[in-house]
Amino acid sequence: MTVELKNKVAIVTGGSRGIGSSIALELAKEGANIVINYNSNSEAADKMVAEIKELGVDAIAVQADVSKSEDAAKLVQAAVEKFGQLDILVNNAGITRDTTFKKMTEEDWRKVIDVNLNSVFNTTSVALPHLTEAEAGRVINISSIIGQFGGFGQTNYAAAKAGLLGFTKSLALETARTKLTVNAICPGYIGTEMVQAIPEKVLDKLVAKIPQQRLGEPSEIARGVVFLCKDGGYITGQELNINGGIYM
Ligand code: NAP
């Protein structure tokens, strides 16, 4: 059964830029009210809020470093105070600190695990009581192909993204008897600032390895989120691969 997203409420962590902003926009186009979370760039978040409001839905921006449990609690509280409900949590915020394992510092390791993985415990644990009350609650975790096949210079990031997959499947099992579904999306290489940070020569080689021979668009990930929200009632504990065929 298709779920209409009109008047549903979604939190998108890291919703101010890149893939997250595209997810926020696509959910807003479906009629959902949006909570844009960001960490440092308030200008980008405010711009997204204005763009979303032009679509005729409501939106707020909430500064919260989701790697900190008190900030994540503040984020969920702000959503529920403003809108009185929470239906969709998209755990999208993420960073990279790429370097070979030999050169990796404890700080590189901890920062990436904190922002990409511990953040998901922080937000989901506070949001869960609200999401299980919703008529079609959704948790969608943005993992990565790197969590599936590893990445050179990415032991920290790969560990965090693979951890997200285990988390997704386990929480899906624990909540399967409720109306909540819990899924992960594993994007391939998507044309955002995160990927533009890869040196051009390395990026050209990566693109050559993608069967479809191009980077993905943020909106192609966002439409996957909309699909899971609207038509994913019987889909839980899954990894949705959106990657141009680079991992099958
Ligand atoms: P991006 O363009 O670098 O945007 C990252 C977003 O996360 C920004 O909104 C940023 O907000 C926010 N953020 C960073 N640290 C945060 C924190 N501690 N608390 C709250 N928000 C924080 O990244 P992207 O490429 O769109 O990636 C989005 C997600 O997709 C990430 O989880 C990434 O790992 C995953 N992914 C990306 C690709 C790709 O090819 N791009 C592929 C696979 C998976 P501020 O600007 O305010 O810091």
Side-chain angles (χ1 to χ4, degrees):
M1 202 180 68
T2 298
V3 176
E4 290 311 320
L5 302 188
K6 195 169 179 327
N7 297 326
K8 296 277 189 277
V9 176
I11 294 178
V12 183
T13 70
S16 56
R17 292 192 289 115
I19 293 172
S21 64
S22 193
I23 292 171
L25 264 180
E26 292 298 324
L27 289 172
K29 283 183 198 163
E30 298 289 331
N33 297 313
I34 310 290
V35 179
I36 296 278
N37 157 249
Y38 68 101
N39 184 31
S40 53
N41 188 340
S42 61
E43 209 177 302
D46 291 343
K47 202 169 145 248
M48 277 312 301
V49 166
E51 208 174 315
I52 285 171
K53 282 184 171 173
E54 274 174 25
L55 296 169
V57 297
D58 206 353
I60 54 169
V62 181
Q63 190 286 325
D65 175 351
V66 288
S67 69
K68 296 183 178 151
S69 51
E70 60 279 15
D71 275 27
K74 185 184 84 176
L75 168 65
V76 174
Q77 249 163 25
V80 175
E81 263 167 35
K82 168 76 181 173
F83 294 111
Q85 70 190 72
L86 179 62
D87 303 280
I88 299 163
L89 172 64
V90 184
N91 287 309
N92 164 79
I95 58 162
T96 50
R97 290 280 184 280
D98 292 357
T99 183
T100 56
F101 186 67
K102 262 182 160 179
K103 292 186 191 151
M104 189 169 289
T105 62
E106 188 178 343
E107 159 73 11
D108 293 330
W109 174 265
R110 288 199 187 280
K111 186 77 188 161
V112 167
I113 300 290
D114 276 345
V115 175
N116 294 276
L117 181 60
N118 291 337
S119 63
V120 174
F121 171 81
N122 295 339
T123 53
T124 311
S125 56
V126 189
L128 199 63
H130 304 288
L131 293 166
T132 46
E133 266 174 30
E135 60 172 5
R138 301 282 186 258
V139 175
I140 298 173
N141 298 317
I142 306 301
S143 176
S144 170
I145 38 160
I146 302 301
Q148 298 172 305
F149 64 32
F152 189 93
Q154 296 193 295
T155 48
N156 49 2
Y157 185 77
K161 293 302 189 182
L164 267 184
L165 299 179
F167 171 88
T168 298
K169 292 170 191 180
S170 304
L171 187 63
L173 271 177
E174 290 182 23
T175 57
R177 291 184 181 204
T178 72
K179 283 174 277 176
L180 179 73
T181 67
V182 185
N183 290 289
I185 293 185
C186 296
Y189 295 100
I190 310 299
T192 68
E193 284 171 44
M194 185 179 272
V195 160
Q196 279 145 18
I198 299 174
E200 203 183 325
K201 275 189 184 166
V202 180
L203 192 56
D204 286 348
K205 279 189 189 158
L206 279 178
V207 171
K209 281 188 196 154
I210 301 170
Q212 290 192 348
Q213 298 284 293
R214 67 170 178 88
L215 296 177
E217 300 284 339
S219 62
E220 291 173 311
I221 307 305
R223 292 310 301 173
V225 171
V226 169
F227 164 69
L228 288 173
C229 289
K230 291 188 74 168
D231 295 306
Y234 198 54
I235 301 174
T236 199
Q238 302 302 315
E239 298 167 21
L240 177 57
N241 297 329
I242 306 179
N243 63 24
I246 196 168
Y247 178 77
M248 297 180 182

